[in-house]
Amino acid sequence: MPESNKRLSVSEKLSYGLGDTASNFFFQTFNLFLLYYYTDVFGIGPAAAGSIFLAARVVDMFSDPIMGVIADRTNSRWGKFRPYLLWMAIPYGIIGYLMFVVPDISEGGKLMYAYATYIAMMLAYTAINIPYSALLGVISPSSTERTLVSSYRFFGAFAGGLLISMFVRPLVYAVGGEDNEAFGFQVTMAIFAAVSVVMFFVTFRGTRERVQPPAGQKNDLRKDLGALVQNRAWLILFFVAVFTLANVAARGAATVYYFKYYVGASDAPMFLIFDQTSIIMTSGMLGLIAGVWLSKPLAARFEKRSIMIWFSLFNAICMALFFIVPPDQFWLMFTLSVLGGFLAGPTVPLVWSMYADVADYGEWRWGRRSTGLVFSAALFAQKMGLAIGGAMAGWYLGLAGFVAGAEQGPSALMGIRILFSLFPAGLAAAAIVALVFYPLKSTMLSQIETELGVRRTTTEGEGI
């Protein structure tokens, strides 16, 4: 068996997975705590903070495909994608830490500082995470192995998210107390930054690139983009990503509103240091982590497309059921949260392994391999979905008559319930419809893998 076709070691899979743990130490912190930090700790207004997020989103929507093109054209002794894990790890950690340093300057100066550090951090995140994601497409020529590696990746990602959701607040208060949250955040993020840098170094050292572009492939952005937009499988996954991430963003934005205003959950701890809302968030994340490990055995027996469709459908049903759950049925909500997370778990690594399959298909069909461009375009679609879902959530709450901090009327409560349940379920249904048309089945992937293996072996033989 050629070395490139061997099964990857557990240590290499773990090394790859740690890269997404490193990413999520910052990414999940931003998702869960950055708005609060900007408004209540850093001292800038919520509207100004929202503008920062929007500006950075516009920048990184364009920077993602550019970074993909750059990575595809990188040639080094470490490969195309691994070098960026080495080169960008320290800048990534330093900039992430600097975001949580509070300078003693004017309010206008703080706003400029926040803009500069957040946009710089998103650029650093792009520069390290696009190559990291694309590494999945070249770590093995085997679609089966890539699916398993993807499972390790998202176990690492969800584990990082779980640690953030559980322990950021306790760490901040343990270090800074209630009177000095700024110092608490600064020390906490310094710890996360240092650990993230080390994890990226481990990923760099512990992984290899085994799939190379076809011999003689010349850099031609026009041809790469042309092959991408002709790639029906990629186009379908693009829309799946937009609908899925819009679903995630809308439901995530509605979670606190649903439990605060509809359920009437208090901030008092229910178990140890965790209140009801934290328990629901944590339970969903634990369900995701458990579900991730189903992806490999499921993919060995069923079509990836079929798994995606059915598990997404049952997850959508779990989301929709929240609409009819009475507000006093906390444990029923807990059960639906765990079950929904568990059902969503296998779909996450599967869809990323499908992007790697799409890169194989592009090489097989058009003779051009643009792994970085494929994965950067996937992240572009996801960020578009996040932007759409977040914006639609805000608009919908406004239309429903939501008033912050007040007792909500029937229209607002109905809007919150729909936004947390039926609305994301509808977006999930739209993703399912798109998946029905996904063309790459197991028999075709086996043919592609075999023929590409023959091409590469023939090319290597001719080069001897």
Side-chain angles (χ1 to χ4, degrees), residues 192-203:
F192 289 155
V195 174
S196 295
V197 170
V198 172
M199 285 183 170
F200 274 127
F201 284 158
V202 171
T203 302

Side-chain angles (χ1 to χ4, degrees), residues 81-93:
F81 308 118
R82 289 176 59 237
Y84 292 96
L85 307 180
L86 178 65
W87 298 335
M88 291 303 303
I90 292 177
Y92 172 86

Side-chain angles (χ1 to χ4, degrees), residues 165-194:
S165 64
M166 292 177 68
F167 294 117
V168 165
R169 293 305 297 171
L171 271 174
V172 168
Y173 281 116
V175 174
E178 294 186 7
D179 298 328
N180 198 352
E181 284 186 276
F183 181 68
F185 269 107
Q186 185 175 337
V187 173
T188 298
M189 297 315 298
I191 295 170
F192 289 155

Side-chain angles (χ1 to χ4, degrees), residues 23-88:
S23 297
N24 274 273
F25 273 162
F26 276 114
F27 196 73
Q28 287 298 329
T29 300
F30 298 161
N31 286 344
L32 296 174
F33 298 107
L34 190 56
L35 181 61
Y36 169 80
Y37 173 80
Y38 277 158
T39 58
D40 288 41
V41 180
F42 199 71
I44 58 180
S51 298
I52 295 171
F53 298 152
L54 179 61
R57 190 71 68 195
V58 171
V59 170
D60 63 26
M61 278 183 175
F62 290 98
S63 65
D64 282 357
I66 292 172
M67 186 63 219
V69 170
I70 292 172
D72 275 330
R73 283 150 180 75
T74 298
N75 293 294
S76 77
R77 61 192 175 106
W78 299 302
K80 291 182 174 295
F81 308 118
R82 289 176 59 237
Y84 292 96
L85 307 180
L86 178 65
W87 298 335
M88 291 303 303

Side-chain angles (χ1 to χ4, degrees), residues 214-243:
Q217 175 175 313
K218 296 181 179 180
N219 293 332
D220 191 323
L221 181 58
R222 182 181 60 81
K223 288 183 178 180
D224 289 344
L225 291 172
L228 189 66
V229 298
Q230 292 180 71
N231 193 325
R232 179 185 168 197
W234 176 82
L235 289 172
I236 290 169
L237 289 184
F238 180 92
F239 286 106
V240 170
V242 171
F243 289 132

Side-chain angles (χ1 to χ4, degrees), residues 119-156:
I119 291 175
M121 183 56 183
M122 288 299 97
L123 290 172
Y125 184 88
T126 292
I128 200 167
N129 204 258
I130 295 292
Y132 169 76
S133 297
L135 178 58
L136 177 65
V138 298
I139 201 168
S140 171
S142 167
S143 177
T144 301
E145 278 298 288
R146 292 195 300 252
T147 299
L148 185 54
V149 174
S150 189
S151 298
Y152 278 80
R153 171 187 179 176
F154 285 99
F155 178 82

